[in-house]
């Protein structure tokens, strides 16, 4: 029940970011921050699969925006989650 709002937010972000290109949002920077928070909240709730999905969306958005630092941070988050899931070969890639 506690993760229902997060799940709804993740679903909405997926819909928004499913098309290529930069999404039509007021503030791409604020969108990046929202996705970072979403992934962090999922990690705190011990829901690594949803955290992984959020981080993948974050990485995709940062790449589209040309944000190298944001992309690197998202990749670090992804690697951390994959290691937590005991998938070191995927984390290494």
């Amino acid at each position: 029940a506690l993760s229902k709002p997060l799940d709804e937010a993740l679903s909405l972000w997926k819909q928004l970011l499913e098309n290529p290109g930069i999404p039509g949002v007021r503030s791409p920077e604020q969108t990046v921050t929202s996705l970072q928070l979403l992934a962090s909240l999922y990690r705190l709730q011990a829901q690594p699969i949803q955290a992984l999905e959020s981080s993948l969306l974050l990485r995709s958005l940062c790449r589209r925006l040309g944000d190298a630092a944001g992309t690197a941070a998202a990749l670090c988050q992804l690697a951390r989650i994959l290691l937590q899931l005991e998938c070191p070969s995927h984390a290494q890639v």
Side-chain angles (χ1 to χ4, degrees), residues 7-82:
D7 295 338
E8 290 174 5
L10 179 59
S11 177
L12 291 172
W13 285 123
K14 283 181 186 178
Q15 290 175 14
L16 182 68
L17 297 171
E18 69 185 5
N19 298 320
I22 298 174
V25 294
R26 277 186 260 164
S27 172
E29 296 82 14
Q30 196 170 27
T31 303
V32 166
T33 301
S34 294
L35 286 169
Q36 289 169 334
L37 286 171
L38 186 63
S40 296
L41 288 170
Y42 273 127
R43 277 197 321 263
L44 288 172
Q45 289 191 348
Q47 295 184 346
I49 301 301
Q50 291 86 346
L52 190 68
E53 288 181 289
S54 302
S55 296
L56 286 169
L57 290 173
L58 175 62
R59 183 204 60 183
S60 173
L61 179 59
C62 287
R63 280 186 175 170
R64 294 177 199 187
L65 296 172
D67 179 2
T71 301
L75 289 170
C76 287
Q77 282 183 4
L78 286 165
R80 198 173 317 130
I81 295 166
L82 288 168

